[in-house]
Amino acid sequence: MSNKNKKQSETVPAKEEEVVQINKWDGTAVKHALDDSVKNALMEHSNMKEHFAIIDGRLFICAMAVAIALVALGYDYQYSFPASKPVLIVCVLCYFFLMGVLTVYTTYVEKGIFVVGNQKDASGAVKRWQASSDMKKYDDKYELTVQLKDSRGIREATVTKSVANFIDVNGLVLDDLVASEVNRIVNSLNADRKDK
């Protein structure tokens, strides 16, 4: 092997597949690991780009709350407590109002959605895919809902399976099994569209 080829092979690392191992008894960790695996499987479809509007909404509300807290801090630093009392009261009320808005937003807008993707098909039309999940505390059932919005309407499919179908006894997430389930759901939703 020449020095040039040897140098190139040293500089280009081989892409190693990341192995995700979790505590299989921690329900929250299991749910998040499966959500990440579903997200990766959905984003691997052709012409799929992640859409961040839902996350951006939450970040905007949080940024406003932080800005209000900084205003209160700066004003209190400039004018010590007795003088800053009215501004602090207004800032605290606005902060707690925004935390209420954030709670309503995460409950009624996000609704457990962890990924949204836009996919352009051959005709140039955009299909919006979104995935949400639910897993009750102390339960082994992982409920995955995938929704498709396109020009013909909204369709969704929900699958509920035990996490044992996707995680082995050592706590390793079996990404190929997750991807297979996601592909089955995507194909069924695409087939529904063609039938109508």
Side-chain angles (χ1 to χ4, degrees):
M1 185 186 221
S2 70
N3 283 342
K4 185 177 181 182
N5 290 340
K6 190 175 182 182
K7 202 176 215 180
Q8 284 179 346
S9 65
E10 289 174 0
T11 58
V12 180
K15 184 180 178 185
E16 293 183 23
E17 197 170 309
E18 183 180 341
V19 177
V20 178
Q21 185 169 8
I22 54 170
N23 177 2
K24 63 184 178 180
W25 303 111
D26 181 358
T28 305
V30 168
K31 180 183 180 303
H32 291 305
L34 288 175
D35 288 350
D36 288 343
S37 186
V38 168
K39 176 181 175 180
N40 292 339
L42 191 61
M43 289 294 111
E44 285 179 1
H45 285 84
S46 63
N47 298 327
M48 186 78 74
K49 283 191 168 183
E50 192 167 357
H51 185 69
F52 297 101
I54 290 178
I55 295 170
D56 289 345
R58 182 177 5 142
L59 288 175
F60 177 73
I61 295 168
C62 292
M64 287 184 59
V66 169
I68 287 172
L70 289 175
V71 166
L73 178 69
Y75 197 85
D76 189 54
Y77 180 78
Q78 189 73 24
Y79 306 101
S80 54
F81 175 65
S84 65
K85 188 175 179 180
V87 173
L88 290 178
I89 290 172
V90 170
C91 287
V92 166
L93 291 175
C94 289
Y95 181 84
F96 283 110
F97 172 75
L98 284 174
M99 290 301 100
V101 169
L102 181 63
T103 302
V104 169
Y105 184 82
T106 55
T107 304
Y108 295 106
V109 176
E110 283 187 356
K111 296 184 275 189
I113 297 169
F114 58 88
V115 65
V116 178
N118 289 336
Q119 182 182 35
K120 282 191 178 180
D121 61 13
S123 65
V126 176
K127 298 188 283 187
R128 175 161 293 168
W129 295 89
Q130 65 184 32
S132 60
S133 67
D134 188 32
M135 191 170 153
K136 304 286 186 249
K137 195 171 185 179
Y138 307 121
D139 193 3
D140 71 322
K141 301 297 183 208
Y142 178 76
E143 181 181 298
L144 172 66
T145 302
V146 178
Q147 185 181 78
L148 169 62
K149 294 180 188 177
D150 60 11
S151 60
R152 297 185 186 204
I154 299 173
R155 290 171 310 287
E156 69 178 32
T158 301
V159 174
T160 304
K161 287 193 174 184
S162 171
V163 295
N165 291 321
F166 307 115
I167 297 176
D168 71 5
V169 294
N170 298 320
L172 293 174
V173 177
L174 305 172
D175 289 324
D176 54 340
L177 296 179
V178 174
S180 171
E181 188 66 29
V182 170
N183 290 336
R184 187 188 66 74
I185 294 170
V186 167
N187 291 338
S188 72
L189 290 174
N190 276 328
D192 284 350
R193 193 191 87 182
K194 290 174 186 171
D195 292 343
K196 293 182 179 180

